[in-house]
Amino acid sequence: MIRTLVVALGLMISLAPPALAERPAKEYFGAARQGSAQRAAPIGSYAKGCVAGAVQLPQTGDTWQAMRLSRNRNWGHPELVDFVQDLSRKAAKQKGWKGLYVGDMSQPRGGPMLSGHRSHQIGLDADIWMLPPKRLNLSAAEREGISSISMRRANGAYVNNSWTRAHHNILKAAAKDPRVARIFVFPGAKVQMCNDEKGDRKWLRKIRPWWGHHYHFHVRLNCPKGAKGCTNQAAPPAGDGCADAEKWVKDILYPPPPKPAPKNPKPRKPRGPLTLSDLPNQCGSVLSSQ
């Protein structure tokens, strides 16, 4: 199986199968240029898996553009591609927004990436830029050079002047979609949304404060119905999560004192890159599929 996938991906690696199995899996998944010829299925968990039968988000649509095309990360499970297109149409109704600039989704066969994310492995994660698109006819070169804009100030404790009600409305639309499991955004944005929302607050539960995520917000879908090999993340805690976000902000503004180091700490083994043997067995067939 491993020799077959090496041939299928055009990898010039002359190693015995056991050695191939222990090479970083990102080398194999990063080399895949197209999705596998299989029925669409997310396999494993968001940070340890792959995706069969992924489809590509078209580089440009009426209300979206995929960015950083050189990365070839505008792939995902069909439900993710449909979701991104649906959300872009909702975003296009906001003042000053023509749609969405879409950042990283997944590689053609998912799996660990050559750089960046630990998650985005099963075709159910997407990064949406905070930058309101003014044009949706950017060239490939322009998509490499343009950058999103940061929404944070005070290290993420607050939003800055670039944050608008449209950002609130777009994240709200995403969170209210039943396909969505959670959305990661910097803590100050969550607190601002909690302060501004005057209606139904149930959807705020899905907005989760997390480090970074001030140039983009990260949408994660639930495992699709019937996807037996897919492992959902535990559901967010009950409630709107606003008190939790306020604690994040407090810790940013007034960092708690560091915990004293243990007297005899056990040495921690450095976490190495995932190998094929770390992933579900089905990921070998995803790689070897034509």
Side-chain angles (χ1 to χ4, degrees), residues 1 4-5 8-9 29 32 34-43 49-56 75-78 107-111 121-122 280-290:
M1 176 65 76
T4 302
L5 70 89
L9 297 177
F29 286 98
Q34 298 290 327
S36 67
Q38 297 170 301
R39 182 178 179 181
I43 299 166
C50 57
V51 57
V55 296
Q56 189 174 31
W75 294 77
H77 187 277
Q107 298 175 138
R109 303 187 189 203
Q121 293 194 27
I122 59 174
N281 290 335
Q282 301 97 306
C283 290
S285 62
V286 169
L287 282 173
S288 62
S289 173
Q290 296 298 321

Side-chain angles (χ1 to χ4, degrees), residues 29-239:
F29 286 98
R33 307 310 299 168
Q34 298 290 327
S36 67
Q38 297 170 301
R39 182 178 179 181
I43 299 166
S45 60
Y46 300 96
K48 190 179 287 186
C50 57
V51 57
V55 296
Q56 189 174 31
L57 175 73
Q59 295 179 1
T60 299
D62 292 339
T63 53
W64 76 85
Q65 283 203 287
M67 309 301 285
R68 304 287 193 269
L69 299 178
S70 62
R71 296 179 178 179
N72 197 27
R73 295 177 179 177
N74 56 319
W75 294 77
H77 187 277
E79 283 206 9
L80 180 67
V81 173
D82 288 344
F83 165 80
V84 168
Q85 294 174 338
D86 288 346
L87 184 63
S88 74
R89 288 187 280 269
K90 295 172 183 175
K93 297 178 181 179
Q94 298 298 317
K95 182 179 180 181
W97 292 67
K98 290 186 177 296
L100 295 175
Y101 287 149
V102 183
D104 286 351
M105 294 167 57
S106 287
Q107 298 175 138
R109 303 187 189 203
M113 292 187 175
L114 288 170
S115 61
H117 316 277
R118 284 187 60 212
S119 60
H120 291 252
Q121 293 194 27
I122 59 174
L124 297 176
D125 294 281
D127 290 342
I128 308 298
W129 282 22
M130 294 287 195
L131 179 67
K134 304 297 183 185
R135 294 169 49 204
L136 291 174
N137 61 350
L138 298 176
S139 67
E142 287 175 312
R143 298 184 217 197
E144 297 294 329
I146 192 174
S147 294
S148 188
I149 55 175
S150 174
M151 298 285 112
R152 75 174 185 179
R153 64 183 175 92
N155 292 322
Y158 306 105
V159 298
N160 61 26
N161 291 333
S162 295
W163 178 267
T164 66
R165 184 68 187 194
H167 288 92
H168 178 111
N169 292 341
I170 292 168
L171 270 83
K172 179 177 180 178
K176 295 187 79 168
D177 191 306
R179 293 171 290 187
V180 171
R182 64 186 66 216
I183 299 169
F184 301 104
V185 72
F186 68 99
K190 170 72 185 248
V191 170
Q192 187 67 48
M193 296 174 77
C194 289
N195 292 338
D196 291 344
E197 183 55 50
K198 305 304 180 186
D200 176 23
R201 303 174 65 83
K202 293 179 181 177
W203 59 273
L204 283 165
R205 179 187 182 193
K206 294 183 182 180
I207 307 293
R208 309 307 301 172
W210 202 248
W211 295 279
H213 295 88
H214 53 102
Y215 285 94
H216 69 268
F217 61 94
H218 174 171
V219 180
R220 173 166 293 168
L221 301 192
N222 293 297
C223 293
K225 291 183 179 179
K228 296 180 180 179
C230 181
T231 303
N232 276 310
Q233 187 175 358

